[in-house]
Amino acid sequence: MVRVVLTLAALSLLTASGAGSAERAATPGRFRVQVGACIIEAPPAARDQLDGLAARAAEFLPRLEASIGAPPAGPYRIILIPPGRSDDPEITALDRSAPPWAAGFVQPRRRVGGIRVARAEHYPYSDLASVLLHEAVHMLLFDAAGGNLPRWFEEGVATGFERDWGLRDVLVQSSSLLTGRLPALADLDAAFDASDTRARAAYAASFDFMSWTVRRHGEGVVRDIARAAGRRPFPEAWKEATGATLAQSEAEWRRGSLLLYRWIPALTGSTVLWGGITVLALAAGARRRARSRAIRARFEAEERREADARGEAGTGGHGEAAGAQPAAGARDLVFFVDRYATGTPPWDIGRPQPEFVRLAAEGAIRGSVLDAGCGTGENALHIAGLGHEVWGIDGAPLAIEKAQARARERGIAATFLIGNALTLATLDRMFDTAIDSGLFHVFPDDDRERYVQGLAAVLNPGGRCFMLCFSEHEPGTDGPRRVTQDEIRAAFRDGWRVDSIRAARFETNREIGAARAWLAAITRLEEPITPAGRGVPGGRGVTA
Ligand code: SAH
């Protein structure tokens, strides 16, 4: 009964406000739309988004409230935060209250939340509506359970509503299979506010566990747990609603997720390994994931060996304890593995980057060519089509599979390998030219050095490297890091000559079109690199 009344109230409010049309808010300088208990506010800079968002909210909020099974305790406000500085003090304060990478957040006790318009397209969201949905779930679950639920429960439920409970999360699968472990539930809550990468993995794991729970116990389990948690501590509420302790549920989820792949690392010989993996291909999706895991293990071992050789203690390089996290290069690859598995990434334009077509036409590409981070291989294939011997390497198995398939379809001879660009020396062969289309700019500072050393190890003296990376003139912060000319020169200071760096375009398949980029031409000098001089002022080998 209460439920019906509330839904009707929501509908009538919506009608009263012109079915989702923005009106001026009581707060000067803001517009607002009310959808049931949810009041969405926006300053003029985000006004355009308001009506569309309200229309979407009117579809999903009633459904959400019904599933959670408890009415909102009262109205709550979600404020859209446009990018840039704001002269609205509440918006500024709200924006400051959450970590900079967060797309949305809610302070349930104050019944207010914010959505950062510019970040709404980041994982695990896809648009403003999905961020709003997440925040509404937090608010409703807070009202149902009085703040008694762990964050992973809420994030998992939110992601489940947004997607489909039946899905498995490719990100948690790739990361857990690559690292050999699923994150522990107990560690998740701390991870949401950590680095972007860890937070992504935490979202993915929360969703994966909750979707496993819903598949196991039915969709009503969310409502049952939330209700019970309003009366008793969360672990007891879990037991009451599911009949199992949280630890039992977690263990069962873990077993189910890893069972298929666990034996893979035990196989050593590569023929046996790939043979074993082919068997696994019978299980849908297993092949890719198992390969990712094997590859990641290999990358980590290689990076550890290299670090040992350099006498470094850990391999993480990001302030994390050695062993607790995979090596940085391998860890960041999870992002790429995920991107290729979940659609066409923005850089995957289905044709070579015009800058490399031009370089090839000018005759700048000589001899044998290495394409580091080749993605789905369009640049490599273009160059191979001109008669060069080309090797493309990439850490994302799906990208390499696509590149190989394209080479076959087009009858072009090129070698595509799954490999780690941070350990190029392990390729154990030399090239006359290296191309880098959008790889350098993905690396954190400490990996740049390692990458450039690897390039030096596989380029013949006099060989050239052509690199296309996002420049600092590309506005906004979406996408890869912006790189300055000085940073390029610094990375290639020892044993290289930077011949030219010129303004260029990096084509994407997004509406933004081409991004501003630098195209650098860099020659590998005859002089050997002096590893002892790395990063030591005055101890450099050769200065460009
Ligand atoms: N060169 C391609 C892809 C650019 S995107 C193009 O122009 O379309 C960057 C690519 O680098 C991705 O395909 C990603 O999988 C790959 N990559 C990122 N880190 C890597 C690493 N450590 N080793 C190998 N490849 C890596």
Side-chain angles (χ1 to χ4, degrees):
M1 192 58 210
V2 175
R3 183 63 271 111
V4 174
V5 171
L6 262 158
T7 310
L8 288 180
L11 289 174
S12 61
L13 274 166
L14 192 63
T15 323
S17 67
S21 181
E23 56 186 31
R24 290 206 169 267
T27 318
R30 274 192 227 153
F31 295 88
R32 61 177 253 161
V33 184
Q34 181 152 3
V35 183
C38 178
I39 300 160
I40 314 169
E41 295 187 0
R47 200 217 145 137
D48 286 353
Q49 281 94 345
L50 203 51
D51 287 346
L53 181 58
R56 296 276 306 277
E59 286 165 22
F60 66 70
L61 282 179
R63 203 160 41 84
L64 199 65
E65 290 174 17
S67 306
I68 288 176
Y76 56 99
R77 290 182 306 141
I78 302 289
I79 304 177
L80 299 188
I81 306 174
R85 283 175 60 88
S86 166
D87 45 19
D88 183 325
E90 189 186 11
I91 291 187
T92 307
L94 203 59
D95 196 20
R96 289 217 182 106
S97 71
W101 48 262
F105 45 89
V106 66
Q107 300 167 3
R109 282 177 212 286
R110 295 186 49 220
R111 310 197 75 74
V112 66
I115 297 179
R116 293 197 178 106
V117 174
R119 299 218 62 109
E121 287 192 350
H122 285 245
Y123 189 91
Y125 310 110
S126 47
D127 56 17
L128 286 176
S130 82
V131 184
L132 177 64
L133 185 143
H134 271 249
E135 304 326 319
V137 167
H138 289 308
M139 198 61 242
L140 294 170
L141 285 175
F142 177 85
D143 287 347
N148 236 344
L149 297 167
R151 174 110 178 250
W152 59 255
F153 182 93
E154 300 193 2
E155 300 294 2
V157 168
T159 315
F161 278 121
E162 185 197 345
R163 298 183 188 180
D164 172 348
W165 282 120
L167 288 179
R168 299 305 310 268
D169 195 280
V170 65
L171 185 64
V172 74
Q173 305 222 345
S174 50
S175 56
S176 61
L177 291 165
L178 289 166
T179 55
R181 55 182 162 256
L182 284 165
L185 289 183
D187 295 341
L188 291 183
D189 278 16
F192 288 112
D193 293 323
S195 72
D196 201 7
T197 315
R198 279 185 66 209
R200 248 202 313 266
Y203 277 108
S206 305
F207 166 59
D208 205 65
F209 179 59
M210 284 311 296
S211 67
W212 176 88
T213 303
V214 162
R215 283 198 306 272
R216 182 98 165 63
H217 301 284
E219 223 171 296
V221 74
V222 170
R223 189 190 51 225
D224 295 345
I225 296 170
R227 269 199 199 138
R231 299 189 304 268
R232 52 206 322 193
F234 175 73
E236 291 174 24
W238 184 277
K239 177 107 202 280
E240 178 183 314
T242 66
T245 65
L246 191 54
Q248 284 165 343
S249 299
E250 183 177 356
E252 207 181 317
W253 166 62
R254 206 172 283 282
R255 261 199 311 280
S257 297
L258 291 181
L259 201 60
L260 261 177
Y261 329 104
R262 191 160 270 162
W263 52 278
I264 284 292
L267 302 173
T268 45
S270 64
T271 321
V272 184
L273 177 64
W274 298 122
I277 287 164
T278 312
V279 173
L280 276 186
L282 293 171
R287 175 160 161 258
R288 185 185 73 239
R289 295 189 293 269
R291 284 176 70 181
S292 303
R293 179 184 179 142
I295 290 150
R296 185 158 190 155
R298 197 180 86 202
F299 283 11
E300 286 184 68
E302 283 169 2
E303 290 184 9
R304 255 194 311 274
R305 267 201 300 282
E306 288 209 342
D308 287 349
R310 288 197 302 267
E312 289 172 8
T315 55
H318 286 256
E320 281 144 337
Q325 282 282 317
R331 189 183 57 208
D332 295 338
L333 253 177
V334 171
F335 168 79
F336 289 99
V337 170
D338 180 49
R339 289 311 301 262
Y340 285 112
T342 51
T344 304
W347 60 83
D348 194 7
I349 57 174
R351 59 179 196 284
Q353 285 287 340
E355 298 291 356
F356 288 99
V357 175
R358 199 168 306 134
L359 282 170
E362 288 166 358
I365 310 277
R366 303 238 169 92
S368 57
V369 181
L370 170 68
D371 183 351
C374 64
T376 55
E378 289 296 342
N379 296 320
L381 288 167
H382 175 75
I383 294 168
L386 300 173
H388 293 270
E389 187 201 354
V390 181
W391 281 30
I393 69 139
D394 200 284
L398 262 190
I400 289 295
E401 279 172 20
K402 276 198 185 154
Q404 288 168 336
R406 286 178 193 177
R408 268 195 309 275
E409 278 161 25
R410 299 178 202 173
I412 297 174
T415 304
F416 288 107
L417 299 171
I418 298 162
N420 186 357
L422 294 177
T423 53
L424 288 175
T426 58
L427 282 175
D428 208 20
R429 65 151 291 173
M430 305 296 284
F431 299 88
D432 302 310
T433 304
I435 66 166
D436 171 328
S437 170
L439 175 65
F440 181 81
H441 66 199
V442 313
F443 293 133
D445 288 351
D446 46 357
D447 284 345
R448 282 182 181 172
E449 201 169 341
R450 201 190 295 181
Y451 170 59
V452 172
Q453 283 197 340
L455 272 180
V458 297
L459 258 193
N460 286 318
R464 296 180 88 196
C465 170
F466 298 98
M467 190 170 96
L468 185 64
C469 58
F470 266 44
S471 86
E472 76 275 23
H473 300 304
E474 173 60 20
T477 53
D478 272 1
R481 290 180 73 180
R482 277 43 166 177
V483 178
T484 64
Q485 293 206 20
D486 282 351
E487 288 176 297
I488 299 174
R489 290 180 201 283
F492 287 90
R493 62 180 187 266
D494 295 338
W496 301 85
R497 182 185 66 233
V498 177
D499 302 316
S500 65
I501 303 179
R502 66 167 178 77
R505 315 277 285 167
F506 192 102
E507 298 280 342
T508 73
N509 56 28
R510 291 291 151 93
E511 277 160 24
I512 56 159
R516 297 196 182 170
W518 294 122
L519 178 68
I522 306 159
T523 300
R524 172 87 179 98
L525 298 178
E526 306 277 341
E527 288 83 349
I529 283 192
T530 48
R534 272 188 325 119
V536 181
R540 295 173 184 171
V542 178
T543 309

